[in-house]
Amino acid sequence: MTTSLSAEAPPPGHLQEHFDATISRDQRIEPRDWMPDGYRKTLVRQIAQHAHSEIIGMQPEGEWITKAPSLRRKAILFAKVQDEAGHGLYLYSAAETLGADRADLTDRLIEGRQKYSSIFNYPTMSFADVGVIGWFVDGAAICNQVPLCRSSYGPYARAMVRICKEESFHQRQGYELLMTMMRGTEAQREMVQDAVNRWWWPSLMMFGPPDDSSPNSAQSMAWKIKRHSNDELRQRFVDMTVPQADKLGVTLPDPDLRWNAERGHHDFGTPDWDELMRVIKGGGPCNDQRMQRRRSAHEEGAWVREAATAHAAKQAARAEKGAVA
Amino acid sequence: MSDDHVYLTLAEGHEDDARWAYGTGFEDPLHGVDTTVPEGIDAGELAALCVALADDALVSAQRLAEWITRAPELEEEVALANIGLDLLGQARLLYSRAGQVDGTGRDEDAYAYFRDAGDFRNVRLAELPNADFAFSIARLLMLSSWRLAHFERLASHPDPVLAAIAAKGVKELAYHRQYAAEWAVRLGDGTEESHRRMRRAQEQVAPYLGELFTAYDVRDEVVAVLRQVTEAAGLPMPVYRPLPGSGRDGEHTEHLAPLLAELQGVARAHPEATW
């Protein structure tokens, strides 16, 4: 990627100062602005991982579109999974403003060179999982992403505004499904509690490792790519979710969870960080399955993409021939 | 936008279901519409027509949903989901109308989840497995060309509810047909492989064309559309030799029962549940 450096451009020292000043004034960096290579690389990595997470994240819930137990729930879930594909598209576009290429990023995902959120490596066991994913996973995503609406990189921040609005909608839909199920049969209430038990700890892990072992965080905070630390966001999610769980009538599976009046926050137990590392490294229950699905969709679709490219080239050639004649 | 704004909104109670969403608080999709059957209309026939059209839409939406996470490109994930959602919406409205006019008062889910394969009246074309992308495009082209022509006629049906559902559907179906036609041309014209696959797909769907023409004479119009697209794609016109039997009479392929088992399984396992 070349930035818009021209013969008249001020020397790099000047550029760095201008960049630093823009960041410190809380103004946005735009695609044509000069930016340090590290900033660009960090953003491409983060936005690509986010895009991959949206796309892989279609799988656990997508399994239930064909099985949804009412037509209304089928429509809601179908639309939600479609939104996730849309989010993936905006985010890949935001990464492309930094000089990345969607096809290349897709290859990196498929070859395992770039990651996606570890949460999507857990299985969806019942329809209650659809509700709990909406409530916890979209809820945690919102906690992570709302601050990114003020991220220093303009296209990313703007994409996040739209994505957060839709995620917030999804979270309410998930919670509303659970409310309805809790008012239903005993079997439905058991399904909800079981899903809560399985998804709670993996959801807390979505905020990443604890602050004292999160190596990239400090630089990202300084660049205002990231606005809050992992532990702050995790705390916020817990504080937000506890009253919602009470209202729903489910128990969060943490014996150490209690209100701490002194801190003004809930205390809670420690997630199993070894499990997080295992899942990140590919050892989660569904890592292979998720990657296999993405890879086979990509490979089986290759002839379709090639056909579209070939057709476009033939069309262009015919148009040129027509114009000459 | 402030960081805390969205958290506060989320932490609030949500007593008012109406603001939640898409499809929620959507208990009676025909709310506010005069639903009496006009004089001179045979309620049984009207209900049967609504069920057949709803079954086509529901079964098609189910097949389209199977593409999700398996499509050749992200844009296609979005487009196929969009088409599936439109058809699902059409099915819901048509089932609701059928339940009002057939005297049973059944809701949309009663039709979708608690009838067996032999009671479904969709055309067999809709229930065939997705096979490859070319097959799904050939099927979508044929079904949407027919459904669009049919809905354009139904928009002046004497039943105002069916007429309104059809008028809304026309706009959606015009896009579905456009999408399928564009892909048929890309695949027919693209590479040797895509040409071969598209040609085979057209041949595979051809025997199912005849089953579509039961009401209104839209055959010539539909065949003209298929011919135009097929020629633009540089493909030969397939021979439309019809198969015996019809899904409209409840005669289905072996593929419908497993499709319904997946669609209905959770709902039937919990018949007392509300979702």
Side-chain angles (χ1 to χ4, degrees):
Chain A
M1 172 76 196
T2 52
T3 48
S4 52
L5 276 173
S6 67
E8 291 79 24
H14 233 96
L15 291 169
Q16 180 74 48
E17 275 169 34
H18 181 73
F19 173 86
D20 293 342
T22 307
I23 297 282
S24 71
R25 284 196 307 269
D26 261 343
Q27 287 176 340
R28 295 274 164 79
I29 305 297
E30 294 297 337
R32 295 171 64 86
D33 294 343
W34 182 89
M35 62 190 86
D37 278 348
Y39 178 85
R40 185 186 299 278
K41 277 187 195 145
T42 301
L43 271 169
V44 169
R45 194 190 65 220
Q46 181 174 335
I47 297 172
Q49 283 184 9
H50 191 165
H52 300 329
S53 300
E54 295 283 355
I55 299 308
I56 298 290
M58 294 166 68
Q59 291 183 30
E61 290 177 285
E63 291 300 311
W64 290 89
I65 301 172
T66 55
K67 302 171 195 155
S70 77
L71 295 185
R72 175 169 154 267
R73 292 295 172 198
K74 192 190 270 294
I76 290 172
L77 183 58
F78 211 161
K80 180 187 174 184
V81 175
Q82 183 193 31
D83 283 347
E84 287 162 1
H87 296 173
L89 278 172
Y90 313 147
L91 287 163
Y92 284 124
S93 303
E96 287 186 331
T97 66
L98 290 158
D101 169 62
R102 200 215 297 181
D104 173 58
L105 296 176
T106 301
D107 287 342
R108 285 169 191 258
L109 169 66
I110 286 170
E111 290 159 15
R113 288 185 287 138
Q114 277 180 341
K115 304 282 184 202
Y116 56 89
S117 176
S118 58
I119 192 78
F120 301 118
N121 291 316
Y122 291 87
T124 41
M125 308 300 282
S126 81
F127 197 69
D129 288 42
V130 168
V132 172
I133 289 176
W135 178 30
F136 285 171
V137 176
D138 289 85
I142 292 162
C143 288
N144 268 329
Q145 292 168 13
V146 166
L148 297 177
C149 297
R150 295 194 297 123
S151 166
S152 58
Y153 187 58
Y156 190 33
R158 287 187 289 273
M160 290 322 304
V161 171
R162 181 159 172 191
I163 290 173
C164 283
K165 281 184 188 160
E166 292 181 353
E167 303 275 19
S168 144
F169 195 52
H170 297 159
Q171 198 210 13
R172 293 180 204 182
Q173 286 171 335
Y175 191 73
E176 190 258 0
L177 167 61
L178 299 177
M179 277 286 199
T180 307
M181 290 183 71
M182 291 300 285
R183 287 194 296 260
T185 64
E186 193 50 39
Q188 285 181 294
R189 280 187 286 279
E190 284 169 14
M191 283 161 75
V192 174
Q193 183 62 56
D194 172 62
V196 164
N197 294 347
R198 286 181 287 106
W199 287 94
W200 174 248
W201 291 108
S203 300
L204 290 188
M205 295 177 200
M206 283 178 70
F207 298 94
D211 292 348
D212 51 25
S213 51
S214 179
N216 297 322
S217 286
Q219 179 61 72
S220 287
M221 300 269 282
W223 276 333
K224 296 185 184 172
I225 292 172
K226 202 175 150 115
R227 292 281 185 163
H228 301 281
S229 78
N230 296 352
D231 288 334
E232 273 170 36
L233 292 167
R234 193 168 5 251
Q235 180 72 61
R236 218 182 258 222
F237 173 73
V238 171
D239 290 341
M240 176 176 103
T241 307
V242 169
Q244 292 172 343
D246 286 343
K247 193 171 172 206
L248 194 57
V250 295
T251 308
L252 299 173
D254 178 359
D256 298 326
L257 184 64
R258 63 181 59 81
W259 177 249
N260 180 331
E262 208 174 302
R263 287 202 309 126
H265 291 291
H266 293 87
D267 291 338
F268 55 98
T270 307
D272 179 350
W273 298 122
D274 293 341
E275 176 180 321
L276 176 64
M277 293 326 290
R278 220 170 29 246
V279 177
I280 288 177
K281 288 185 180 141
C286 301
N287 295 61
D288 291 344
Q289 185 185 331
R290 302 290 183 241
M291 289 298 283
Q292 182 52 43
R293 169 69 63 81
R294 185 71 195 96
R295 195 178 300 121
S296 63
H298 189 70
E299 286 169 3
E300 283 161 26
W303 70 271
V304 177
R305 295 189 300 275
E306 284 158 16
T309 309
H311 170 68
K314 287 183 186 178
Q315 285 283 81
R318 283 189 286 255
E320 200 173 318
K321 208 171 164 189
V324 172
Chain B
M1 128 174 238
S2 117
D3 271 10
D4 293 314
H5 174 72
V6 174
Y7 303 131
L8 290 175
T9 328
L10 287 168
E12 280 167 20
H14 295 287
E15 302 301 338
D16 174 15
D17 276 2
R19 46 190 277 243
W20 284 50
Y22 196 83
T24 53
F26 191 70
E27 300 306 332
D28 176 9
L30 298 176
H31 178 76
V33 178
D34 179 5
T35 55
T36 34
V37 180
E39 269 183 55
I41 294 184
D42 182 322
E45 275 177 28
L46 174 61
L49 175 59
C50 289
V51 168
L53 291 170
D55 287 348
D56 284 348
L58 177 62
V59 170
S60 299
Q62 188 78 356
R63 287 297 184 213
L64 288 161
E66 292 173 9
W67 271 109
I68 299 307
T69 72
R70 295 179 177 88
E73 190 54 287
L74 294 180
E75 283 79 355
E76 274 42 72
E77 299 273 357
V78 174
L80 295 169
N82 205 4
I83 295 168
L85 275 163
D86 284 346
L87 291 170
L88 185 55
Q90 291 177 12
R92 296 178 66 191
L93 292 166
L94 289 161
Y95 284 136
S96 297
R97 184 56 176 158
Q100 289 163 347
V101 299
D102 74 1
T104 61
R106 280 179 286 180
D107 67 9
E108 56 184 39
D109 290 337
Y111 288 96
Y113 293 93
F114 296 96
R115 284 182 306 144
D116 294 331
D119 300 322
F120 271 72
R121 291 293 178 266
N122 59 282
V123 289
R124 288 169 295 181
L125 178 60
E127 73 206 29
L128 299 173
N130 283 340
D132 67 357
F133 188 69
F135 179 85
S136 290
I137 289 297
R139 172 193 10 223
L140 182 63
L141 177 65
M142 185 178 276
L143 269 176
S144 61
S145 299
W146 167 76
R147 197 171 173 91
L148 175 60
H150 194 40
F151 271 43
E152 281 169 348
R153 306 292 187 291
L154 289 176
S156 47
H157 193 276
D159 175 42
V161 178
L162 178 56
I165 295 169
K168 178 176 182 288
V170 162
K171 292 174 206 141
E172 297 167 347
L173 293 161
Y175 162 72
H176 305 177
R177 190 181 73 175
Q178 179 73 18
Y179 176 80
E182 285 172 3
W183 268 110
V185 170
R186 276 185 208 116
L187 297 181
D189 184 49
T191 62
E192 234 170 81
E193 182 181 9
S194 70
H195 180 88
R196 178 177 57 75
R197 285 181 186 251
M198 194 62 219
R199 179 176 175 166
R200 191 182 58 193
Q202 294 254 81
E203 285 161 2
Q204 285 169 329
V205 299
Y208 297 92
L209 181 71
E211 195 179 1
L212 291 164
F213 305 112
T214 49
Y216 297 100
D217 188 16
V218 293
R219 174 183 267 274
D220 291 348
E221 185 180 330
V222 172
V223 171
V225 169
L226 295 177
R227 181 182 307 281
Q228 193 192 341
V229 176
T230 303
E231 280 170 10
L235 293 163
M237 269 305 261
V239 181
Y240 295 111
R241 193 175 297 117
L243 285 177
S246 172
R248 297 285 187 234
D249 301 324
E251 296 170 65
H252 292 285
T253 66
E254 72 275 27
H255 305 295
L256 182 62
L259 177 147
L260 292 177
E262 182 167 337
L263 189 149
Q264 298 172 334
V266 179
R268 288 189 176 201
H270 301 274
E272 305 298 315
T274 43
W275 306 96

Coordinates of all heavy atoms in Angstrom, one line a residue, chain B residues 85-131:
Chain B
L85 N -36.1 -14.5 2.9 CA -36.9 -13.7 3.8 C -38.2 -13.2 3.2 O -39.2 -13.2 3.8 CB -36.1 -12.5 4.4 CG -35.2 -12.9 5.6 CD1 -34.2 -11.8 5.8 CD2 -36.1 -13.1 6.8
D86 N -38.0 -12.7 1.9 CA -39.2 -12.3 1.2 C -40.2 -13.4 1.1 O -41.4 -13.2 1.3 CB -38.9 -11.8 -0.2 CG -38.2 -10.5 -0.3 OD1 -38.2 -9.7 0.7 OD2 -37.6 -10.1 -1.3
L87 N -39.7 -14.6 0.7 CA -40.7 -15.7 0.5 C -41.3 -16.2 1.8 O -42.4 -16.5 1.9 CB -39.9 -16.8 -0.2 CG -39.6 -16.5 -1.7 CD1 -38.6 -17.6 -2.2 CD2 -40.8 -16.4 -2.6
L88 N -40.5 -16.2 2.9 CA -41.0 -16.5 4.2 C -42.1 -15.5 4.6 O -43.1 -16.0 5.1 CB -39.8 -16.5 5.2 CG -40.1 -16.9 6.6 CD1 -40.7 -18.3 6.6 CD2 -38.8 -16.9 7.4
G89 N -41.9 -14.3 4.3 CA -42.9 -13.3 4.6 C -44.2 -13.5 3.8 O -45.3 -13.4 4.3
Q90 N -44.0 -13.9 2.5 CA -45.2 -14.2 1.7 C -45.9 -15.4 2.3 O -47.2 -15.4 2.4 CB -44.8 -14.4 0.3 CG -44.3 -13.2 -0.5 CD -43.8 -13.5 -1.9 OE1 -44.0 -14.6 -2.4 NE2 -43.1 -12.5 -2.5
A91 N -45.2 -16.4 2.7 CA -45.8 -17.6 3.2 C -46.6 -17.3 4.5 O -47.8 -17.8 4.6 CB -44.7 -18.7 3.6
R92 N -46.1 -16.5 5.3 CA -46.8 -16.1 6.6 C -48.1 -15.4 6.3 O -49.1 -15.8 6.9 CB -45.9 -15.3 7.5 CG -44.6 -16.0 7.9 CD -43.7 -15.1 8.7 NE -44.3 -14.8 10.0 CZ -43.9 -13.9 10.8 NH1 -42.8 -13.2 10.5 NH2 -44.5 -13.6 12.0
L93 N -48.1 -14.5 5.4 CA -49.3 -13.8 5.1 C -50.4 -14.7 4.4 O -51.5 -14.6 4.8 CB -49.0 -12.6 4.1 CG -48.2 -11.5 4.8 CD1 -47.7 -10.5 3.7 CD2 -49.0 -10.7 5.8
L94 N -49.9 -15.6 3.5 CA -50.8 -16.4 2.8 C -51.4 -17.5 3.8 O -52.6 -17.8 3.7 CB -50.1 -17.1 1.6 CG -49.8 -16.1 0.5 CD1 -48.7 -16.7 -0.4 CD2 -51.0 -15.9 -0.3
Y95 N -50.6 -18.0 4.7 CA -51.1 -19.0 5.6 C -52.2 -18.3 6.5 O -53.2 -18.9 6.8 CB -50.0 -19.6 6.5 CG -49.2 -20.6 5.9 CD1 -47.8 -20.6 6.1 CD2 -49.7 -21.7 5.1 CE1 -46.9 -21.6 5.5 CE2 -48.8 -22.6 4.5 CZ -47.5 -22.6 4.7 OH -46.7 -23.5 4.2
S96 N -51.9 -17.1 6.9 CA -52.8 -16.4 7.8 C -54.2 -16.2 7.1 O -55.2 -16.4 7.7 CB -52.3 -15.0 8.2 OG -51.1 -15.2 9.0
R97 N -54.1 -15.9 5.8 CA -55.3 -15.7 5.0 C -56.0 -17.0 4.9 O -57.3 -17.0 5.0 CB -54.9 -15.1 3.6 CG -56.2 -14.8 2.8 CD -57.1 -13.9 3.5 NE -58.2 -13.4 2.8 CZ -59.4 -13.0 3.4 NH1 -59.5 -12.9 4.7 NH2 -60.4 -12.5 2.6
A98 N -55.3 -18.1 4.6 CA -56.0 -19.4 4.5 C -56.7 -19.7 5.8 O -57.8 -20.2 5.8 CB -54.9 -20.5 4.2
G99 N -56.1 -19.5 6.9 CA -56.7 -19.8 8.2 C -58.0 -19.0 8.5 O -58.9 -19.5 9.1
Q100 N -58.0 -17.8 7.9 CA -59.3 -17.0 8.1 C -60.4 -17.5 7.2 O -61.5 -17.5 7.6 CB -59.0 -15.6 7.7 CG -58.1 -14.9 8.7 CD -57.5 -13.6 8.1 OE1 -57.6 -13.3 6.9 NE2 -57.0 -12.7 9.0
V101 N -60.0 -18.0 6.0 CA -61.1 -18.3 5.1 C -61.5 -19.8 5.1 O -62.6 -20.1 4.6 CB -60.8 -17.8 3.6 CG1 -60.6 -16.3 3.6 CG2 -59.6 -18.5 3.1
D102 N -60.7 -20.7 5.6 CA -61.1 -22.1 5.5 C -61.9 -22.5 6.7 O -62.3 -23.7 6.8 CB -59.9 -23.0 5.3 CG -59.0 -23.2 6.5 OD1 -59.3 -22.6 7.6 OD2 -58.0 -23.9 6.4
G103 N -62.2 -21.6 7.6 CA -63.1 -21.9 8.7 C -62.4 -22.6 9.9 O -63.1 -22.8 10.9
T104 N -61.1 -22.9 9.8 CA -60.5 -23.6 10.9 C -59.8 -22.6 11.9 O -59.6 -23.0 13.0 CB -59.3 -24.5 10.4 OG1 -58.4 -23.6 9.7 CG2 -59.8 -25.5 9.4
G105 N -59.6 -21.4 11.5 CA -59.0 -20.4 12.4 C -57.5 -20.7 12.7 O -57.0 -20.2 13.6
R106 N -56.9 -21.6 11.9 CA -55.5 -22.0 12.2 C -54.6 -20.8 12.0 O -54.8 -20.0 11.1 CB -55.1 -23.1 11.2 CG -55.6 -24.5 11.7 CD -55.1 -25.6 10.7 NE -55.9 -25.5 9.5 CZ -55.7 -26.4 8.4 NH1 -54.8 -27.3 8.5 NH2 -56.5 -26.3 7.4
D107 N -53.5 -20.8 12.7 CA -52.5 -19.7 12.5 C -51.4 -20.2 11.6 O -51.4 -21.4 11.2 CB -51.9 -19.2 13.8 CG -51.1 -20.2 14.6 OD1 -50.8 -21.3 14.0 OD2 -50.8 -19.9 15.7
E108 N -50.5 -19.3 11.2 CA -49.4 -19.7 10.2 C -48.6 -20.9 10.7 O -48.3 -21.7 9.8 CB -48.5 -18.5 10.0 CG -47.9 -18.0 11.4 CD -47.0 -16.7 11.2 OE1 -47.4 -15.8 10.4 OE2 -45.9 -16.6 11.8
D109 N -48.4 -21.0 12.0 CA -47.5 -22.1 12.4 C -48.3 -23.4 12.4 O -47.6 -24.5 12.2 CB -47.0 -21.8 13.9 CG -46.0 -20.7 13.9 OD1 -45.3 -20.5 12.8 OD2 -45.8 -20.1 14.9
A110 N -49.6 -23.4 12.5 CA -50.3 -24.7 12.4 C -50.1 -25.3 11.0 O -50.0 -26.5 10.8 CB -51.8 -24.4 12.7
Y111 N -50.2 -24.4 10.0 CA -50.0 -24.9 8.6 C -48.5 -25.3 8.4 O -48.2 -26.3 7.8 CB -50.3 -23.8 7.6 CG -51.7 -23.5 7.5 CD1 -52.3 -22.4 8.2 CD2 -52.5 -24.3 6.6 CE1 -53.7 -22.1 8.0 CE2 -53.9 -24.0 6.5 CZ -54.4 -22.9 7.2 OH -55.8 -22.7 7.1
A112 N -47.6 -24.6 8.9 CA -46.2 -24.8 8.6 C -45.6 -26.1 9.4 O -44.9 -26.8 8.8 CB -45.3 -23.6 8.9
Y113 N -46.1 -26.2 10.6 CA -45.4 -27.2 11.5 C -46.2 -28.4 11.8 O -45.7 -29.4 12.2 CB -45.1 -26.5 12.8 CG -44.0 -25.4 12.7 CD1 -44.3 -24.1 12.5 CD2 -42.6 -25.8 12.6 CE1 -43.3 -23.2 12.3 CE2 -41.6 -24.9 12.5 CZ -42.0 -23.6 12.3 OH -41.0 -22.6 12.1
F114 N -47.5 -28.3 11.6 CA -48.4 -29.5 12.0 C -49.2 -30.1 10.8 O -50.3 -30.6 11.0 CB -49.2 -29.1 13.2 CG -48.4 -28.8 14.4 CD1 -48.0 -27.4 14.7 CD2 -47.9 -29.8 15.2 CE1 -47.2 -27.2 15.8 CE2 -47.0 -29.5 16.3 CZ -46.7 -28.2 16.6
R115 N -48.6 -30.1 9.6 CA -49.1 -30.9 8.5 C -48.0 -31.8 8.0 O -46.9 -31.4 8.1 CB -49.6 -29.9 7.4 CG -50.9 -29.2 7.6 CD -51.3 -28.4 6.4 NE -50.2 -27.5 6.1 CZ -49.9 -27.1 4.8 NH1 -50.5 -27.6 3.8 NH2 -48.8 -26.3 4.6
D116 N -48.4 -32.9 7.5 CA -47.4 -33.9 7.0 C -47.2 -33.6 5.5 O -47.9 -32.9 4.9 CB -47.8 -35.3 7.3 CG -47.8 -35.6 8.8 OD1 -47.0 -35.0 9.5 OD2 -48.7 -36.4 9.2
A117 N -46.1 -34.3 5.0 CA -45.8 -34.1 3.6 C -46.9 -34.2 2.6 O -47.1 -33.4 1.7 CB -44.6 -35.0 3.2
G118 N -47.8 -35.2 2.9 CA -48.9 -35.5 1.9 C -49.9 -34.3 1.9 O -50.7 -34.2 1.0
D119 N -49.9 -33.5 3.0 CA -50.8 -32.4 3.0 C -50.2 -31.1 2.4 O -50.9 -30.1 2.2 CB -51.2 -32.0 4.5 CG -51.9 -33.2 5.2 OD1 -52.6 -33.9 4.5 OD2 -51.6 -33.5 6.3
F120 N -48.9 -31.1 2.1 CA -48.3 -30.0 1.5 C -48.7 -29.9 0.0 O -48.8 -31.0 -0.7 CB -46.8 -30.0 1.7 CG -46.4 -29.3 2.9 CD1 -46.6 -29.9 4.2 CD2 -45.8 -28.0 2.9 CE1 -46.3 -29.2 5.4 CE2 -45.5 -27.3 4.1 CZ -45.7 -27.9 5.3
R121 N -48.9 -28.7 -0.6 CA -49.4 -28.5 -1.9 C -48.3 -27.8 -2.8 O -48.7 -27.2 -3.8 CB -50.7 -27.8 -1.9 CG -51.8 -28.7 -1.4 CD -52.1 -29.9 -2.3 NE -53.2 -30.7 -1.8 CZ -53.0 -31.8 -1.1 NH1 -51.7 -32.2 -0.7 NH2 -54.0 -32.6 -0.7
N122 N -47.1 -27.7 -2.3 CA -46.1 -27.0 -3.1 C -45.7 -27.8 -4.3 O -45.9 -29.1 -4.3 CB -44.8 -26.8 -2.3 CG -44.2 -28.1 -1.8 OD1 -44.8 -28.7 -0.8 ND2 -43.2 -28.6 -2.4
V123 N -45.2 -27.1 -5.4 CA -44.7 -27.8 -6.6 C -43.4 -28.6 -6.2 O -42.7 -28.1 -5.3 CB -44.4 -26.9 -7.7 CG1 -45.8 -26.3 -8.3 CG2 -43.5 -25.7 -7.3
R124 N -43.2 -29.7 -6.9 CA -42.0 -30.5 -6.5 C -40.7 -29.7 -6.8 O -39.7 -30.0 -6.1 CB -42.1 -31.8 -7.3 CG -43.1 -32.7 -6.8 CD -43.4 -33.9 -7.7 NE -43.9 -33.4 -9.0 CZ -44.2 -34.3 -10.0 NH1 -44.1 -35.6 -9.9 NH2 -44.7 -33.8 -11.1
L125 N -40.7 -28.8 -7.8 CA -39.5 -28.1 -8.1 C -39.0 -27.4 -6.8 O -37.7 -27.3 -6.7 CB -39.9 -27.0 -9.2 CG -38.8 -26.0 -9.6 CD1 -37.6 -26.8 -10.2 CD2 -39.3 -25.0 -10.6
A126 N -39.9 -26.9 -6.0 CA -39.4 -26.2 -4.8 C -38.7 -27.1 -3.8 O -37.8 -26.6 -3.1 CB -40.6 -25.5 -4.1
E127 N -39.0 -28.3 -3.7 CA -38.5 -29.2 -2.7 C -37.2 -29.9 -3.1 O -36.6 -30.5 -2.2 CB -39.6 -30.2 -2.3 CG -39.8 -31.3 -3.3 CD -41.2 -31.9 -3.2 OE1 -42.1 -31.2 -2.8 OE2 -41.4 -33.1 -3.5
L128 N -36.9 -29.9 -4.4 CA -35.6 -30.6 -4.8 C -34.4 -30.1 -4.0 O -34.4 -28.9 -3.7 CB -35.4 -30.5 -6.3 CG -36.5 -31.0 -7.2 CD1 -36.3 -30.7 -8.6 CD2 -36.7 -32.5 -7.0
P129 N -33.5 -30.9 -3.7 CA -32.3 -30.4 -3.0 C -31.5 -29.4 -3.8 O -31.6 -29.3 -5.0 CB -31.4 -31.7 -2.8 CG -32.4 -32.9 -2.9 CD -33.4 -32.4 -3.9
N130 N -30.8 -28.6 -3.1 CA -30.1 -27.4 -3.7 C -29.1 -27.8 -4.8 O -28.9 -27.0 -5.7 CB -29.4 -26.6 -2.7 CG -30.3 -25.7 -1.9 OD1 -31.4 -25.4 -2.3 ND2 -29.9 -25.3 -0.7
A131 N -28.5 -28.9 -4.7 CA -27.4 -29.3 -5.6 C -26.4 -28.2 -5.7 O -26.0 -27.7 -4.7 CB -28.0 -29.7 -7.0

